[in-house]
């Protein structure tokens, strides 16, 4: 529900419900979210404040709820733009917080899916911070540069487990014409999880290069090449390197 207070300010009231089912029925639960948001749009900046409450009702009968707080900021001036998002809420580890996207349309893929140490779904007290800065004509007249950072802290409510995840990405895109573009990106991600049984640390570096060319008006051909180096502390047996290449073909029918 949206209500405009003035030409530059609005209020939002949002309610959502997710019914989550597992192969093991004892893990099933319902997830409820209720939030109120105030937003304001000015010439160069748009910001909003969110206040709400989340609730997890498991089929076993247990219930967990908590308040949620959110802040978003979007600033655009000339060739530069900055997006900032901060959120503190109670969620479930099986959701991975996919229900909440803080900053822009940033494709993280599976970069933050480090759930292997937590086999059972659990409610978490989660704090997320995301920052995206992008600019044009900084490296060159035909280049677009972007820097993205994300930090997530989780405190598992039914166990003595904690997890911190970080992700950073720097990318430069060169578009010499309307039919060609090239992107070079570096990504660094890592996490540290602490449980009663063990402490797990993992770091990952990734280089990516991509090239796209519009052979026809509705046909685009792409090539991607990436190198990944994953290092897990105190367990060299799980370290790995990966070289991946791919070709893509996109045709617009309508």
């Amino acid at each position: 529900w949206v209500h405009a207070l003035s030409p530059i300010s609005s209020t939002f009231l949002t309610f959502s419900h997710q019914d989550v089912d597992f192969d093991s029925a004892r893990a099933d639960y319902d997830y409820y979210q209720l939030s109120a948001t105030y937003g304001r749009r000015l010439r160069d900046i748009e910001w909003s404040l969110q206040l709400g409450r989340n609730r997890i009702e498991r089929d076993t009968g247990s219930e967990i709820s908590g308040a949620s707080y959110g802040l978003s900021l979007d600033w655009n001036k000339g060739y530069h733009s900055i997006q900032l998002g901060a959120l503190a809420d109670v969620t479930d580890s099986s959701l991975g917080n996919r229900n909440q996207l803080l900053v822009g349309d940033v494709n993280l893929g599976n970069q933050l899916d480090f759930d292997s140490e937590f086999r059972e779904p659990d409610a978490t007290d989660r704090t997320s911070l995301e920052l995206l800065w992008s600019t044009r004509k900084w490296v060159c007249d035909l280049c677009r540069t972007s820097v993205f950072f994300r930090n997530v802290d989780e405190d598992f409510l039914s166990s003595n487990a904690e997890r911190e995840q970080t992700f950073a990405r720097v990318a430069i895109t060169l578009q010499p014409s309307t039919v060609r573009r090239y992107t070079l990106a570096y990504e660094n991600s890592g996490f540290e999880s602490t449980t009663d049984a063990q402490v797990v640390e993992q770091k990952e570096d990734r280089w990516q290069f991509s090239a796209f060319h519009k052979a026809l008006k509705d046909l685009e051909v792409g090539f991607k090449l990436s190198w990944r180096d994953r290092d897990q502390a105190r367990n060299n047996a799980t370290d790995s390197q990966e070289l991946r290449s791919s070709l893509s073909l996109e045709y617009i029918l309508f």
Side-chain angles (χ1 to χ4, degrees):
W1 177 79
V2 182
H3 177 64
L5 300 175
S6 73
I8 61 172
S9 61
S10 302
T11 57
F12 305 82
L13 184 63
T14 305
F15 173 77
S16 68
H17 166 241
Q18 299 185 52
D19 184 1
V20 184
D21 296 325
F22 294 86
D23 291 339
S24 174
R26 60 181 298 273
D28 296 349
Y29 67 92
D30 290 272
Y31 185 56
Y32 298 91
Q33 291 179 294
L34 178 64
S35 65
T37 304
Y38 172 79
R40 194 171 180 88
R41 181 191 294 268
L42 304 176
R43 175 181 297 177
D44 300 324
I45 191 170
E46 181 179 355
W47 59 270
S48 66
L49 292 173
Q50 172 188 322
L51 177 64
R53 192 164 186 85
N54 300 349
R55 185 180 184 87
I56 300 172
E57 296 181 357
R58 300 198 180 279
D59 287 4
T60 56
S62 62
E63 298 179 358
I64 298 175
S65 62
S68 66
Y69 310 91
L71 166 68
S72 68
L73 178 70
D74 192 346
W75 175 82
N76 294 274
K77 185 73 172 180
Y79 296 121
H80 306 279
S81 68
I82 295 177
Q83 292 178 277
L84 172 68
L87 178 69
D89 64 353
V90 172
T91 184
D92 192 274
S93 61
S94 65
L95 290 176
N97 217 35
R98 296 298 182 186
N99 53 302
Q100 183 72 36
L101 180 64
L102 296 178
V103 168
D105 184 17
V106 180
N107 181 17
L108 294 179
N110 62 352
Q111 297 296 325
L112 295 178
D113 291 341
F114 296 119
D115 290 329
S116 59
E117 303 302 321
F118 302 91
R119 300 297 185 182
E120 297 295 329
D122 191 6
T124 70
D125 191 354
R126 173 183 290 227
T127 302
S128 303
L129 174 65
E130 295 184 356
L131 176 65
L132 173 64
W133 171 63
S134 60
T135 184
R136 291 179 293 159
K137 296 192 175 183
W138 182 50
V139 176
C140 67
D141 288 344
L142 301 175
C143 292
R144 185 177 70 253
T145 305
S146 64
V147 178
F148 176 76
F149 173 78
R150 186 186 197 195
N151 178 265
V152 181
D153 284 304
E154 294 176 289
D155 184 9
F156 290 74
L157 299 181
S158 62
S159 63
N160 294 323
E162 297 179 355
R163 177 169 56 185
E164 181 180 7
Q165 306 172 66
T166 60
F167 178 87
R169 185 177 193 268
V170 181
I172 299 176
T173 299
L174 170 65
Q175 190 160 358
S177 67
T178 58
V179 298
R180 290 193 304 274
R181 70 181 186 277
Y182 310 94
T183 299
L184 178 64
Y186 169 72
E187 298 176 355
N188 176 270
S189 60
F191 82 100
E192 178 178 343
S193 62
T194 304
T195 65
D196 294 332
Q198 61 181 339
V199 176
V200 177
E201 295 180 57
Q202 180 172 293
K203 295 181 179 180
E204 181 175 303
D205 295 287
R206 184 189 297 263
W207 288 91
Q208 294 179 319
F209 171 78
S210 61
F212 292 90
H213 174 68
K214 271 200 169 186
L216 300 173
K217 179 181 178 181
D218 299 324
L219 177 66
E220 184 175 74
V221 181
F223 170 75
K224 292 183 180 180
L225 182 68
S226 68
W227 167 259
R228 174 185 60 79
D229 186 4
R230 177 175 294 175
D231 178 27
Q232 185 163 317
R234 294 184 292 274
N235 189 358
N236 294 332
T238 60
D239 294 350
S240 64
Q241 292 81 38
E242 176 188 81
L243 179 63
R244 175 179 296 185
S245 61
S246 64
L247 291 173
S248 63
L249 188 66
E250 180 179 351
Y251 184 76
I252 301 176
L253 294 175
F254 304 103

